[in-house]
Amino acid sequence: MTQAKPAEKLNKFEKFKAAKDGLAVKDELEQFVEMGWEAIDKTDLEHRLKWLGIFYRPVTPGKFMLRLRTPSGVLSSLQLRTLGEIIQRYGDDGSADITTRQNIQLRGLRFEDMTDILKKLTAVELTSVQSGMDNVRNITGSPVAGIDGAELIDTRELVQQVQDMITNKGQGNYDFTNLPRKFNIALEGGRDNSVHAEINDIAFVPAYKDEVLGFNVLVGGFFSAKRCASAISMNAWVPPNEDVVEICRSILTVFRDNGSRANRQKSRLMWLIDEWGMEKFRAEVEKSFDKPLTPAAETDEIDWDKRDHLGVHAQKQEGLSYVGFHVPVGRLDADAMLEFARLAEVYGQSEIRLTVEQNVILPHVKTETLETLLQEPIAARFPLEPTPLVRSLVSCTGAQFCNFALVETKQRALKIAQELDAQLDIPDRVRMHWTGCPNSCGQPQVADIGFLGTKARKDGKTIEAVDVYMGGTIGKDAKLGERVEKSVPCEDLIPYLKTVMMEKFGATPKA
Ligand code: SRM
Ligand code: SF4
């Protein structure tokens, strides 16, 4: 359902969406599988299939990526095992990534298996619908919702309800399959802004209004190659009930019907807010909401530094702990997924959580079984206390699978962090985020040190390089970092970073 603005010249993406909705490929998938991916219409293959979460990868033709939806990053052991079994059959080609939206992407999938794979997902109540292109992406929430002793609001059910509204319980919902651009939503119920609220198109942060606990609503946060902006207050407060779902519906409706469909570089929600001013935007949302919006509470309750959830932590449920395992740059294989699923059944309550730092949490571990769990081989492979720089490392997909990438990210990021950890004593954690191109999927602007892939010329040759960002802060009063250096050749990064670590982060050479 679209209502393009009158007299607006549609960009090429809008033209193909207007010609045929992305979700329409759902009914054609069986036929596509029969004919083979090489015979599929190019726009269906490269774009519309993303409405089902199916990503054709030009870097590895024939080996597809499937992006799921894992609301709040919560998975059952059965779901994780199913995902592990799906990639297991592809041997070394099969892998999975935990994403910066606490989600899972499966890799190496063959197109001929796609209908079977989607059936397997449905059987365990998972969906991949509307997870790519101009859709609302995985909805994030605190990874310790419901188990965090200091929690204010358990947001899991609300996150699920918002997803169910947008996707029609995973069946696909034509009301929201033709937005002017991608859209991100986050709900924070804890004190430490574990979801990076500031970089979402809609973010809910806990706040008291007249002694009632609910959420202040922030809007318009986003990153793009052209512009990065922090979310701003829309002067609205909602109680933690169906109003959360309804205000999401209202904002999405206003965005769908009024966001620009002309210049794709200027079509994220913040551009509409800029064009109208907040007063008009709020008034339009209020009209759609169909009742007066309550003005925002003066302050919110985010007052902690952001935690990384690694290691063993007591839960609010007595006698239980959650255990955070570090997954280097978020990369998993089938064995690891099957093992995490097994451990969740043996030591926990058959549940696994994912974080936006691309790590795994095993909740509900009984105190008396903790020691045995920590002796399991998985704790050596995915350590609870990794070395300081590796610990806080985040990376986007990069050149291995992403055709936008200007540099290889994951392996390089890991190698550099390991090498610096081996050479330096670093007193505090330094959060390094890598992203392979200006799209900023790896969020370099939230990091202490962010790296954004680019190219440089050196000795007459074009080589891989990064722009360096610094000063991003997270948690309370989060603020975006800024570019401090342009085009540092990747091959020069170790000496460059050694100096930065010593001058700015108190590092000293190891004896
Ligand atoms: Fe992203 C496009 C990967 C989080 C901003 N992103 C892409 C594509 C789909 C491009 C493509 O078709 O190849 C990448 C797929 C590569 C692959 O094979 O994995 C891709 N983005 C990712 C992931 C997997 C990075 C990761 O390794 O974790 C993240 C998946 C999240 C999820 O589960 O849904 C991912 N992308 C982000 C984030 C971070 C966030 O949401 O906190 C951002 C910046 C925040 C934002 O969107 O405001 C982000 N991705 C983009 C953009 C720039 C959007 C814009 O408005 O210009 C693009 C390009 C586009 O949409 O045109 C993009
Ligand atoms: Fe690909 Fe660029 Fe996103 Fe990295 S930042 S996953 S290279 S689009």
Side-chain angles (χ1 to χ4, degrees):
M1 203 189 281
T2 331
Q3 289 166 24
K5 286 185 195 176
E8 198 179 45
K9 194 167 174 291
L10 297 183
N11 66 54
K12 68 171 187 188
F13 287 80
E14 293 303 328
K15 284 187 186 144
F16 85 66
K17 289 192 294 175
K20 173 174 148 190
D21 193 285
L23 188 60
V25 295
K26 189 176 179 211
D27 299 327
E28 295 173 283
L29 190 63
E30 255 174 58
Q31 191 195 334
F32 286 173
V33 166
E34 263 168 43
M35 61 202 229
W37 67 268
E38 291 95 334
I40 301 174
D41 165 80
K42 196 168 148 59
T43 311
D44 286 340
L45 177 71
E46 293 179 3
H47 299 299
R48 291 197 189 92
L49 279 173
K50 291 180 180 171
W51 268 257
L52 302 182
I54 301 172
F55 285 60
Y56 169 71
R57 299 290 70 199
V59 181
T60 56
K63 293 171 196 160
F64 285 74
M65 183 268 273
L66 185 68
R67 180 184 285 168
L68 284 116
R69 302 191 74 95
T70 60
S72 306
V74 180
L75 282 168
S76 69
S77 54
L78 176 63
Q79 290 172 330
L80 187 64
R81 181 172 297 113
T82 304
L83 298 177
E85 283 168 359
I86 289 171
I87 57 166
Q88 194 175 33
R89 61 189 296 190
Y90 301 111
D92 286 346
D93 284 342
S95 65
D97 286 319
I98 305 172
T99 76
T100 51
R101 294 199 68 78
Q102 65 179 174
N103 193 12
I104 293 262
Q105 293 187 164
L106 302 179
R107 296 194 185 278
L109 314 186
R110 283 191 216 115
F111 196 72
E112 59 264 35
D113 300 332
M114 245 358 134
T115 39
D116 279 353
I117 290 172
L118 294 193
K119 276 183 202 147
K120 283 189 178 132
L121 296 188
T122 310
V124 295
E125 294 178 4
L126 275 174
T127 182
S128 58
V129 79
Q130 292 166 239
S131 60
M133 280 298 289
D134 297 351
N135 283 295
V136 181
R137 305 303 172 80
N138 191 47
I139 302 168
T140 54
S142 167
V144 289
I147 59 176
D148 174 10
E151 174 173 77
L152 296 160
I153 305 171
D154 180 352
T155 48
R156 284 172 300 173
E157 188 51 36
L158 287 170
V159 168
Q160 185 68 51
Q161 286 172 14
V162 176
Q163 168 166 312
D164 287 348
M165 179 273 288
I166 290 163
T167 65
N168 182 24
K169 298 197 170 160
Q171 298 300 303
N173 178 0
Y174 281 103
D175 279 353
F176 296 118
T177 48
N178 191 352
L179 300 174
R181 205 65 165 91
K182 73 182 288 196
F183 202 94
N184 292 326
I185 302 180
L187 274 87
E188 176 63 67
R191 293 191 168 278
D192 71 337
N193 188 8
S194 58
V195 295
H196 298 304
E198 67 285 0
I199 62 171
N200 282 264
D201 297 272
I202 309 179
F204 295 86
V205 293
Y208 283 97
K209 182 87 189 181
D210 303 330
E211 292 176 21
V212 180
L213 188 54
F215 300 100
N216 275 349
V217 185
L218 312 179
V219 284
F222 79 111
F223 292 162
S224 74
K226 190 175 171 70
R227 175 183 174 195
C228 295
S230 284
I232 52 175
S233 168
M234 72 168 279
N235 190 22
W237 176 93
V238 284
N241 60 24
E242 63 283 357
D243 279 5
V244 168
V245 182
E246 287 314 309
I247 200 163
C248 287
R249 192 200 302 274
S250 303
I251 294 172
L252 283 168
T253 305
V254 168
F255 177 55
R256 180 194 67 199
D257 297 345
N258 300 281
S260 170
R261 291 173 187 268
N263 181 351
R264 208 163 155 76
Q265 297 309 317
K266 292 191 171 181
S267 50
R268 294 289 293 269
L269 181 67
M270 187 61 110
W271 293 100
L272 177 65
I273 299 170
D274 283 352
E275 185 193 327
W276 279 357
M278 184 55 89
E279 210 177 312
K280 175 170 177 189
F281 175 73
R282 188 180 186 279
E284 291 297 319
V285 172
E286 194 166 48
K287 251 192 255 166
S288 173
F289 192 57
D290 212 19
K291 60 179 177 181
L293 285 171
T294 307
E298 249 169 56
T299 52
D300 63 47
E301 298 302 312
I302 303 286
D303 53 5
W304 281 17
D305 282 343
K306 188 174 186 310
R307 296 163 288 179
D308 69 5
H309 307 292
L310 295 181
V312 177
H313 304 268
Q315 288 185 198
K316 74 173 169 199
Q317 295 82 5
E318 217 183 301
L320 296 182
S321 298
Y322 68 85
V323 183
F325 293 86
H326 181 258
V327 180
V329 288
R331 179 64 47 87
L332 292 169
D333 55 25
D335 287 350
M337 292 159 87
L338 300 179
E339 187 60 1
F340 274 125
R342 182 185 77 80
L343 295 177
E345 286 165 3
V346 173
Y347 294 95
Q349 292 173 9
S350 304
E351 188 182 295
I352 296 98
R353 311 268 183 109
L354 310 171
T355 73
V356 296
E357 286 85 15
Q358 305 174 311
N359 294 318
V360 163
I361 295 173
L362 216 85
H364 315 302
V365 180
K366 286 202 188 86
T367 311
E368 58 267 28
T369 61
L370 265 170
E371 269 315 304
T372 330
L373 168 63
L374 301 187
Q375 299 309 314
E376 293 275 359
I378 202 121
R381 184 169 171 206
F382 300 109
L384 276 62
E385 289 292 334
T387 53
L389 293 180
V390 169
R391 176 178 187 125
S392 303
L393 193 62
V394 168
S395 174
C396 85
T397 306
Q400 188 184 6
F401 298 112
C402 180
N403 54 309
F404 285 105
L406 297 164
V407 301
E408 197 283 313
T409 51
K410 282 194 190 270
Q411 292 319 313
R412 173 181 278 137
L414 190 57
K415 205 161 159 254
I416 290 177
Q418 285 167 336
E419 208 158 317
L420 289 170
D421 272 338
Q423 293 186 25
L424 297 171
D425 282 320
I426 304 163
D428 294 316
R429 64 177 169 143
V430 181
R431 296 170 306 101
M432 300 202 293
H433 281 226
W434 278 73
T435 211
C437 81
N439 285 329
S440 293
C441 304
Q443 313 148 324
Q445 303 84 350
V446 308
D448 293 316
I449 312 179
F451 305 91
L452 188 152
T454 184
K455 298 282 186 203
R457 294 286 293 171
K458 191 175 171 188
D459 305 330
K461 278 193 270 168
T462 302
I463 52 165
E464 296 195 348
V466 286
D467 289 347
V468 179
Y469 285 69
M470 285 184 69
T473 60
I474 51 175
K476 181 178 164 54
D477 299 327
K479 109 176 172 332
L480 302 183
E482 306 224 327
R483 190 173 64 198
V484 294
E485 207 82 63
K486 277 190 86 171
S487 302
V488 180
C490 291
E491 60 193 38
D492 299 339
L493 269 175
I494 299 250
Y496 169 80
L497 283 171
K498 255 176 107 166
T499 310
V500 170
M501 292 294 167
M502 291 199 277
E503 287 179 358
K504 298 204 189 300
F505 296 95
T508 47
K510 275 207 158 85

